[in-house]
Amino acid sequence: MTLSMNLVTLLYLIASVFFIQALKGLSHPASSRRGNLFGMLGMAIAVLTTAALVLKLGGSAGFAGLGDVLIALVVGGSIGALMAKRVQMTKMPELVAFMHSMIGLSAVCIAIAEVAEPHAFGIVAAAGQPLPYGNRVELFIGTIVGAITFSGSVIAFGKLSGKYKFRLFQGAPVRFPGQHWVNLLVALTTLAFGIAFWAGAQWTPFLLMLALSFVLGVLMIIPIGGADMPVVVSMLNSYSGWAAAGIGFSLENSMLIIAGSLVGSSGAILSYIMCRAMNRSFISVILGGFGAEGGTEAASGAQRSVKSGSPDDAAYILSNAESVIIVPGYGLAVARAQHALKEMAHKLGERGVSVKYAIHPVAGRMPGHMNVLLAEAEVPYDQVFEMDDINPEFAQADVAVVLGANDVVNPAARNDPKSPIAGMPILDAWRAKTVIVNKRSMATGYAGLDNDLFYLDKTMMVFGDAKKVIDEITKAIE
């Protein structure tokens, strides 16, 4: 069968439909596997179609070009598969940030190649002009978005990792006097060099625009505190999508334009949802400014006493409850305790205890982190509830069990208008008749704030590694 451009367009359209179905499937844990399958099939169609197109347009030279592409696919695919297989659940956000950075870097590399060798991309410039004006607009936008995505994702990677001593990679916001004015100056200067590039100059303004875009990506992310990183991840996801769309325009590839636009728009919608969940301004997130008024602050004030108990005490309370709501947090992921938690919940269920899981939209280090964690342990989907659905049930629950969560259950978000997280929607664990909190210590959460929930008379702290504590509770449940 001859590969015509009409057939190429049709195959790209089919792949786009698969991508749309992938996004639809990924919207719920129960259909996420099907969504991943649609995504893989769509990408396979797109890659094979593009490879066939390279052969058709390149003739005999196309075979050599296709060989280079296949080598790159094998090398890159092998590295990606190895990283994905070895990555721990707690390191998944860093992997996502790394992948975002690679998409941004790809957009930058293609932009550089197009400026250097426009004829290789089939670009025919007018006499005396290195590049047509339309292509320069594409390169202007794609370069800036790609560079910001790359450098911003690198900073996000460091903040999510939390193991680097370099100041910019630490969870605490990095602020300095006149920061917003500096950001504005860099942005306007970047825009000025971009306009100069569009007006006819080539390498000098282009490279300066590129360098300042890298700087701008760093400046946009460093003032954002660690507690706000889930929104940053979704925002960078959107940026990477638009960067991919920019690559599509540069390569005149409709598939990349469609796929990039899907990722960019869905990432923007997700960022908006996350902002609502954290009571943040969507516009200030896009501009990289949110978190500047809040963020990480050290807890202050005199030490307060808490009521602590043992796993046996917790097992006694849970065994005599009728309804239990479990709030998983990042500490659960760090301890890799999701399977032990499922076993404990199953044992409670055998005793007739109603067990439900409450998921905050920004729990963990990226959107959906806790959903993925519980899905890995094969926790039944009908037991997992989002914040808006489960919050009304806390007041009737006998016990709320908070495992490694902190900021998402902090009553200060509602009771203290001066708190950095004031107005942030929280899980109402404090409304339960009894609250059991498992933490390693009384150290503050990622936002660096003390939590009034821990000091309530109804709260019992059980200190220790989440997996060890849960295992001991499970053994003690009769």
Side-chain angles (χ1 to χ4, degrees):
M1 181 174 60
T2 304
L3 185 70
S4 65
M5 291 308 298
N6 288 336
L7 180 58
V8 169
T9 302
L10 177 61
L11 290 173
Y12 279 159
L13 180 60
I14 293 173
S16 300
V17 172
F18 275 104
F19 289 146
I20 293 172
Q21 290 298 315
L23 289 175
K24 180 180 179 182
L26 292 172
S27 64
H28 193 277
S31 57
S32 60
R33 292 182 184 274
R34 184 172 68 249
N36 273 317
L37 179 60
F38 275 122
M40 289 186 289
L41 290 174
M43 186 55 68
I45 294 173
V47 169
L48 292 175
T49 302
T50 302
L53 186 61
V54 169
L55 290 176
K56 174 181 173 63
L57 298 179
S60 58
F63 283 99
L66 183 60
D68 294 337
V69 171
L70 291 177
I71 292 174
L73 281 174
V74 171
V75 173
S78 299
I79 294 174
L82 185 63
M83 290 176 62
K85 184 177 181 180
R86 290 185 174 181
V87 68
Q88 301 173 7
M89 186 57 63
T90 54
K91 301 298 181 181
M92 189 64 71
E94 291 97 298
L95 178 62
V96 172
F98 172 79
M99 290 180 175
H100 290 165
S101 71
M102 291 298 99
I103 295 174
L105 186 59
S106 297
V108 169
C109 291
I110 290 175
I112 294 174
E114 189 168 341
V115 174
E117 301 287 344
H119 63 276
F121 294 83
I123 298 174
V124 179
Q129 295 292 333
L131 284 168
Y133 286 109
N135 291 97
R136 282 184 237 164
V137 172
E138 296 170 6
L139 292 170
F140 167 51
I141 298 174
T143 301
I144 290 178
V145 175
I148 290 174
T149 302
F150 172 74
S151 57
S153 297
V154 170
I155 298 299
F157 173 88
K159 285 178 173 285
L160 288 165
S161 178
K163 64 180 181 181
Y164 299 102
K165 294 183 179 180
F166 185 47
R167 179 66 181 90
L168 299 185
F169 286 168
Q170 295 177 8
V174 177
R175 302 175 191 143
F176 52 85
Q179 187 168 34
H180 290 298
W181 290 107
V182 172
N183 290 0
L184 180 61
L185 178 62
V186 173
L188 291 176
T189 307
T190 303
L191 181 62
F193 284 124
I195 293 174
F197 169 70
W198 173 82
Q202 192 156 334
W203 278 113
T204 299
F206 176 81
L207 293 176
L208 289 172
M209 175 186 70
L210 176 60
L212 287 175
S213 297
F214 283 130
V215 173
L216 187 59
V218 174
L219 293 175
M220 288 175 62
I221 304 302
I222 59 174
I224 301 177
D228 297 326
M229 291 312 294
V231 185
V232 174
V233 171
S234 65
M235 178 183 69
L236 291 172
N237 177 62
S238 178
Y239 286 176
S240 68
W242 298 124
I247 295 174
F249 280 109
S250 298
L251 299 178
E252 296 185 358
N253 188 304
S254 58
M255 182 69 263
L256 270 176
I257 296 172
I258 295 172
S261 299
L262 286 172
V263 174
S265 56
S266 61
I269 293 171
L270 178 59
S271 297
Y272 175 73
I273 294 173
M274 301 292 284
C275 287
R276 289 186 59 189
M278 298 187 71
N279 195 35
R280 305 295 192 186
S281 166
F282 180 65
I283 298 300
S284 60
V285 170
I286 294 176
L287 298 178
F290 93 97
E293 302 302 325
T296 304
E297 293 184 3
S300 60
Q303 292 289 331
R304 294 183 284 175
S305 61
V306 297
K307 183 193 302 180
S308 62
S310 66
D312 288 340
D313 297 327
Y316 176 81
I317 295 172
L318 291 170
S319 299
N320 289 279
E322 293 184 2
S323 59
V324 174
I325 299 179
I326 299 172
V327 180
Y330 185 65
L332 183 76
V334 172
R336 303 181 194 177
Q338 61 269 30
H339 295 281
L341 177 60
K342 182 198 174 185
E343 183 181 350
M344 184 190 80
H346 178 71
K347 199 165 185 179
L348 288 173
E350 289 180 337
R351 295 179 56 86
V353 180
S354 171
V355 178
K356 297 180 179 180
Y357 298 82
I359 306 297
H360 193 281
V362 295
R365 292 295 179 267
M366 69 176 184
H369 197 178
M370 292 301 104
N371 297 84
V372 174
L373 191 74
L374 297 179
E376 184 190 32
E378 298 183 349
V379 171
Y381 297 128
D382 59 359
Q383 293 182 7
V384 181
F385 295 85
E386 300 300 324
M387 178 180 65
D388 292 338
D389 297 324
I390 197 67
N391 260 349
E393 299 190 29
F394 275 105
Q396 287 76 44
D398 292 319
V399 184
V401 182
V402 180
L403 298 170
N406 199 327
D407 304 317
V408 298
V409 293
N410 192 339
R414 297 191 181 211
N415 304 329
D416 184 2
K418 296 182 179 180
S419 171
I421 60 172
M424 170 182 166
I426 61 169
L427 290 166
D428 294 338
W430 60 280
R431 293 185 180 275
K433 298 173 184 176
T434 301
V435 181
I436 298 174
V437 178
N438 167 239
K439 282 172 59 69
R440 291 178 180 270
S441 68
M442 286 300 294
T444 58
Y446 215 35
L449 305 174
D450 209 356
N451 194 332
D452 291 339
L453 175 68
F454 304 157
Y455 305 99
L456 298 179
D457 290 336
K458 67 169 78 174
T459 300
M460 182 179 74
M461 305 294 297
V462 182
F463 295 106
D465 176 79
K467 187 176 186 303
K468 182 178 179 180
V469 168
I470 292 172
D471 283 337
E472 292 180 7
I473 291 175
T474 304
K475 293 177 181 178
I477 296 175
E478 297 179 358

